[in-house]
Amino acid sequence: MAANPTIEPGLDLSWLNLYDEPATATPGKKGLTLKEINAGRYSDAARGGGDMTYRMRGAVARPGAHRFGPNYMSKSDVWSENCIMLYEEATQRQWASARDIPWDTLQPLPDEIERAMCQLCTMLTEVEFIAGDVPGQWLPFISAQDFEAGLFLMSQIMDEARHTDVFRKRALVNGGGLLAQGAGLGLRTLLEARDFTEMSVLMHVQAEGFVQSMFRMGELIGQTEADKRIFRMSAQDESRHLAFGVMHLKYVLDTDPDRAEEIHHYLDKAEGDASGGGSGDVTFPPVFESLCILLGGGVEKFDEGVQKFLLLRKRQINEYAHRLDVAGLNRRNRFGPLMAQFVDPV
Amino acid sequence: MSTSEALAAAQAARDAAANIEIPQEARDRARELAWEDGLIELALQQGHSLAEVWQALRGNIDGATAKQFLAGGGSIARPDFWWMKVPTEWGIKARASDPEMGLTIGDLNIGTYGDIPDVWYNRSEIARGSFPTPTVEDMGYTIYDKALIWADCCVPLYEVAIRDRWVSSTDLRWNSLEPLPDDIEKAVCQLMTEQSERAYYQGALLSGWLPEISYGYLELKLFLSTVIYDVARHAEAFRKRALSNGGGLGLQAPTDYNRVLQECRTFPELLATMFVQDSMLLTLFKNGDKIAQNQLERDMYALCARDRQRIMDYQIERMKHFLWKLPDRRDEQNLYFGKAEARMVKEWGDSVVWEPLAILLGGGKDRMDSGKAKLQGLRKQQVQDYVANLEKATFFRSNLNARFKDLIGG
């Protein structure tokens, strides 16, 4: 019997009747961004309940759709008011470590300086590797009702991949190599989070905040124009991740203020672990020592480097405290002694 | 400094030290290093900060050294910089092999840093090629076998993906859109609704697997990150198209196929199952000119096809490598392909999936016969390409889905 190759059954066309609110988004100054299409029944303000099916916000629910396992049903669990803008900024500001860093300008450095830079890069490539895994772990739990938060995290995964590669490149391009593993940096804490907000506070606000403060001192840490550019470009990306975290925390505290103590509890734990916790724990000896050599300008100027390191630490802690203030979480009186010693009076 | 000023400063240091709460963790560490009781307080009274004390403790300065140092009134104990002497390969000068591409991750794979082992044994997040810390926590990775996931092409494809990045908000000419006939616009919107959801789901799904892959296969994780970012862009580009020309979002995508992806128990199973849709979508977007109603859509499909070609290149090479390394698992793959094909056939028969395509291919709902005929042609090509892609991966499907066989006259 000749097989009938037709897969399609008879006509239905009832789906043509689903469109009751014509959407006519027009491009703005930055093109057609997610902001322009965030309108009417398609906007985040019109979000309905989650349904665990990956139905994108505003699409009509399909009868009989499978569930895909639990995800966050409440917007406040994952949302950040700036995620729409941050995603679009991420797409506009992608850069390429292969060509946007002036690798050909690198010159041989004194051995101790090159080793210090390579040690720092060994630690950073390790940190950034985890920083890609952590949002990845949470993406399946973000409802498609809040897809912009998901898109932002996908852009973060791309950013972290680039950071992982750029620090590896730096370690292997100037006569050096990778050095000691950065074990002890508290990275597992980030993977151990069992709630999106817990993860975001620990990674985006605390760990990436500390890293960001360090990158912003890249002019002092970097020994060459290429190094400085790596820190500048990476800092630009980190500031988006940090902004997401701060505004997510603010959104949680604005919509569900009862969670404040719970969030304090996560931070109590993370800060109580050594002098900072998370991937920004720069007190790990190879990291501390390499930073001091770079900041001081050599082993012989190590003491000078320590003083600059203490300034860096002070900057990290104060910026961290300020970000928490902005989010509406005052922790200045809860910092443990290793952090409290650095906090400026308000 | 006068004597009185020095005395005042010393008193101030003692007062400040008295107010500093010494963390129990620091005291415990000091005991481990045989610091005498009161040594931390002495350091603080001498004006050292708690941070400096902590650094000394983390730097394994033993009690005798600390006591001698404090007795001498020195500034800061000089560490031994042990990390400078670890036996990793040194003297590496990676250079761009292709100046057009710049310094790529492939250029870094020299010396021992280019050893991508068949099995990766380190359970921590150690960067491949760095010196391991002897005792570390298990980070929970589950994928340690190169044969399961690796394809050499992931190394160059990562850099190509970055080079070929595009931005939906500005690289597509949204101002060029003109109103379309109502049925055509709705068909576009329904297709966009479906594809946006498929792309977003694929990104979320792949993201969830990243923490399973160990650092030994760093380049693959980097490449997967570009895939995740690519499909994120597809999801938002399709949504933008649906909401920019008088239409909107339609009925959500069917969930049969995505659900079978969700049910995969291992990453190789997921990749095999995903192979079917990855191939079908590549052919669909490569044929974007046939369904596009304007230049914006032609551009959008072409950009998506370029992204999806990279995914397919990886899929083919990964499968080929897998089958070469693990020939005993060849027959098993038929089970995954069979399941995926069955779900694909079911979804192709869904009126909300095929009718919009038939309208777009035919040129309107009044020309459905023509559209259906053209859709048959497109489906045939999709299946032919799929079978050809499998063959490139050295896989010859023994029991291709019967409907697929009918389509290609097999």
Side-chain angles (χ1 to χ4, degrees):
Chain A
M1 186 174 78
N4 176 6
T6 304
I7 285 179
E8 301 81 25
L11 276 181
D12 175 11
L13 296 177
S14 60
W15 54 272
L16 284 166
N17 303 320
L18 295 173
Y19 299 84
D20 54 0
E21 187 181 324
T24 53
T26 52
K29 281 193 295 187
K30 295 177 180 173
L32 187 69
T33 70
L34 291 174
K35 180 182 167 194
E36 276 79 33
I37 62 168
N38 191 38
R41 63 177 262 224
Y42 304 106
S43 70
D44 69 278
R47 180 199 195 275
D51 58 11
M52 302 188 195
T53 72
Y54 282 96
R55 176 174 61 89
M56 301 294 277
R57 192 178 67 234
V60 177
R62 174 181 282 266
H66 292 85
R67 286 188 172 194
F68 283 70
N71 60 31
Y72 283 110
M73 303 294 273
S74 161
K75 182 178 177 182
S76 71
D77 281 313
V78 300
W79 190 251
S80 177
E81 287 288 18
N82 54 5
C83 64
I84 292 176
M85 178 270 289
L86 290 173
Y87 171 74
E88 292 286 355
E89 185 182 305
T91 64
Q92 291 287 351
R93 291 195 165 185
Q94 290 295 301
W95 51 284
S97 71
R99 288 174 297 168
D100 291 336
I101 304 300
W103 298 111
D104 54 351
T105 65
L106 280 170
Q107 296 291 328
L109 294 170
D111 187 68
E112 67 198 37
I113 298 277
E114 183 62 26
R115 283 182 192 272
M117 189 64 194
C118 287
Q119 178 57 60
L120 184 63
C121 288
T122 304
M123 180 276 282
L124 286 171
T125 195
E126 194 173 328
V127 166
E128 302 288 358
F129 183 76
I130 295 296
D133 285 353
V134 174
Q137 180 172 275
W138 287 96
L139 263 156
F141 298 98
I142 295 175
S143 167
Q145 298 299 299
D146 307 308
F147 70 93
E148 294 99 330
L151 293 180
F152 171 75
L153 292 180
M154 292 184 202
S155 77
Q156 184 187 348
I157 288 171
M158 183 66 241
D159 292 342
E160 309 295 8
R162 197 169 47 245
H163 297 177
T164 304
D165 98 50
V166 77
F167 290 114
R168 188 175 178 89
K169 283 177 179 171
R170 173 58 190 87
L172 298 178
V173 77
N174 204 32
L178 295 172
L179 288 174
Q181 176 181 14
L185 294 166
L187 295 172
R188 215 181 93 145
T189 313
L190 306 177
L191 287 166
E192 288 166 355
R194 284 294 169 267
D195 174 75
F196 183 88
T197 300
E198 177 187 5
M199 175 279 291
S200 180
V201 167
L202 294 182
M203 183 176 76
H204 292 128
V205 181
Q206 188 192 71
E208 297 203 81
F210 287 167
V211 168
Q212 165 73 338
S213 299
M214 187 202 303
F215 286 174
R216 284 170 56 194
M217 287 184 78
E219 296 295 322
L220 294 177
I221 298 168
Q223 306 295 310
T224 66
E225 185 48 39
D227 297 345
K228 290 174 184 180
R229 189 160 173 80
I230 290 170
F231 287 124
R232 276 200 298 273
M233 303 293 274
S234 302
Q236 182 179 285
D237 298 337
E238 294 292 344
S239 46
R240 287 194 299 275
H241 313 158
L242 187 50
F244 176 90
V246 170
M247 292 303 282
H248 169 64
L249 179 56
K250 184 172 189 321
Y251 194 82
V252 170
L253 294 172
D254 285 349
T255 54
D256 197 356
D258 289 346
R259 293 195 66 186
E261 188 54 33
E262 171 204 341
I263 293 161
H264 274 303
H265 199 169
Y266 301 135
L267 292 172
D268 287 343
K269 183 176 150 199
E271 290 165 9
D273 179 9
S275 62
S279 59
D281 183 2
V282 289
T283 62
F284 180 57
V287 180
F288 162 69
E289 291 162 18
S290 58
L291 270 172
C292 291
I293 291 172
L294 293 168
L295 287 165
V299 168
E300 287 308 308
K301 295 181 178 174
F302 187 78
D303 294 356
E304 194 177 316
V306 170
Q307 295 313 309
K308 288 183 180 168
F309 170 82
L310 293 175
L311 285 177
L312 163 64
R313 196 74 189 125
K314 185 176 175 66
R315 181 174 182 165
Q316 284 181 318
I317 305 298
N318 279 287
E319 289 181 347
Y320 171 56
H322 174 70
R323 287 165 191 141
L324 291 173
D325 288 344
V326 169
L329 194 77
N330 185 348
R331 275 188 68 73
R332 289 171 185 273
N333 296 326
R334 289 182 73 136
F335 286 145
L338 282 163
M339 292 180 75
Q341 63 182 321
F342 291 109
V343 179
D344 291 331
V346 181
Chain B
M1 183 184 285
S2 68
T3 305
S4 60
E5 284 171 336
L7 287 171
Q11 185 58 45
R14 279 193 294 278
D15 292 346
N19 292 327
I20 293 176
E21 179 194 342
I22 300 167
Q24 188 57 41
E25 196 180 350
R27 290 193 187 283
D28 293 344
R29 183 71 187 134
R31 271 190 208 106
E32 285 170 18
L33 291 166
W35 285 38
E36 290 175 8
D37 286 348
L39 213 51
I40 294 178
E41 286 82 352
L42 176 62
L44 297 173
Q45 283 170 13
Q46 287 190 6
H48 298 290
S49 70
L50 194 54
E52 290 170 68
V53 173
W54 182 246
Q55 289 304 152
L57 292 168
R58 290 209 78 184
N60 298 323
I61 303 294
D62 61 44
T65 306
K67 188 176 178 184
Q68 187 180 18
F69 162 74
L70 289 170
S75 54
I76 292 167
R78 184 64 51 88
D80 64 357
F81 306 119
W82 60 266
W83 46 269
M84 284 196 182
K85 302 160 200 131
V86 296
T88 54
E89 187 173 357
W90 190 253
I92 301 295
K93 285 189 179 180
R95 290 291 175 267
S97 53
D98 175 358
E100 285 294 305
M101 288 299 293
L103 182 70
T104 67
I105 55 169
D107 295 325
L108 305 183
N109 284 341
I110 47 181
T112 53
Y113 296 103
D115 286 342
I116 300 163
D118 287 340
V119 181
W120 179 254
Y121 290 101
N122 194 303
R123 294 190 303 278
S124 76
E125 76 286 7
I126 184 173
R128 197 181 68 222
S130 61
F131 185 72
T133 302
T135 307
V136 288
E137 288 181 307
D138 189 327
M139 292 295 274
Y141 304 114
T142 59
I143 298 172
Y144 293 100
D145 295 311
K146 186 178 182 181
L148 300 181
I149 55 171
W150 188 256
D152 285 341
C153 66
C154 71
V155 181
L157 285 175
Y158 169 70
E159 300 282 1
V160 171
I162 290 174
R163 182 197 66 189
D164 289 351
R165 63 193 183 271
W166 54 282
V167 182
S168 79
S169 58
T170 49
D171 288 340
L172 297 174
R173 296 177 56 233
W174 297 104
N175 279 321
S176 71
L177 282 174
E178 298 283 347
L180 294 169
D182 188 62
D183 55 337
I184 300 274
E185 179 61 29
K186 288 175 176 172
V188 173
C189 289
Q190 182 55 53
L191 178 62
M192 296 297 96
T193 305
E194 177 197 334
Q195 293 302 330
S196 181
E197 184 174 327
R198 287 192 193 283
Y200 183 81
Y201 172 70
Q202 190 172 14
L205 179 69
L206 283 173
S207 298
W209 281 91
L210 281 181
E212 305 295 323
I213 304 170
S214 60
Y215 202 118
Y217 312 109
L218 161 73
E219 293 87 350
L220 172 70
K221 289 186 82 162
L222 298 181
F223 170 67
L224 288 177
S225 301
T226 69
V227 172
I228 289 162
Y229 180 60
D230 286 342
V231 293
R233 204 167 48 242
H234 298 183
E236 47 106 344
F238 294 142
R239 184 178 179 91
K240 284 173 179 172
R241 172 59 193 89
L243 299 181
S244 58
N245 205 32
L249 293 179
L251 191 69
Q252 77 174 112
T255 53
D256 293 272
Y257 190 89
N258 284 349
R259 179 56 195 256
V260 80
L261 295 176
Q262 186 81 10
E263 292 159 4
C264 291
R265 304 291 297 157
T266 68
F267 198 59
E269 178 186 347
L270 174 73
L271 290 171
T273 310
M274 205 177 265
F275 191 113
V276 182
Q277 178 173 261
D278 285 341
S279 180
M280 300 300 181
L281 287 181
L282 174 60
T283 302
L284 176 70
F285 294 138
K286 274 185 170 174
N287 283 275
D289 281 0
K290 295 176 184 164
I291 51 175
Q293 306 299 309
N294 46 51
Q295 189 58 42
L296 179 141
E297 290 167 20
R298 275 187 284 278
D299 293 345
M300 181 173 68
Y301 293 135
L303 289 165
C304 292
R306 191 173 68 181
D307 295 341
R308 286 214 158 263
Q309 183 66 59
R310 290 192 297 274
I311 302 174
M312 203 65 238
D313 289 347
Y314 165 69
Q315 280 275 33
I316 290 169
E317 197 172 316
R318 201 284 312 181
M319 178 61 71
K320 188 176 177 181
H321 180 250
F322 176 87
L323 295 172
W324 176 57
K325 286 288 199 181
L326 303 168
D328 291 350
R329 297 190 64 180
R330 184 172 284 270
D331 286 345
E332 172 196 344
Q333 305 311 304
N334 273 310
L335 303 176
Y336 308 133
F337 290 132
K339 201 158 42 167
E341 289 165 9
R343 304 291 180 99
M344 182 66 69
V345 165
K346 184 175 181 207
E347 293 195 350
W348 279 6
D350 187 307
S351 60
V352 191
V353 171
W354 74 264
E355 287 176 356
L357 282 170
I359 289 175
L360 296 174
L361 288 164
K365 68 178 179 182
D366 298 333
R367 304 175 67 182
M368 286 297 273
D369 287 345
S370 165
K372 282 182 77 171
K374 288 178 179 171
L375 181 57
Q376 286 297 114
L378 176 60
R379 294 303 193 208
K380 180 179 178 181
Q381 190 181 346
Q382 285 179 298
V383 177
Q384 285 173 332
D385 288 353
Y386 163 60
V387 171
N389 284 331
L390 284 175
E391 288 176 1
K392 283 183 208 165
T394 72
F395 194 85
F396 300 91
R397 194 80 172 83
S398 58
N399 52 345
L400 186 69
N401 182 279
R403 306 309 296 268
F404 282 0
K405 267 190 197 164
D406 289 346
L407 271 168
I408 60 175

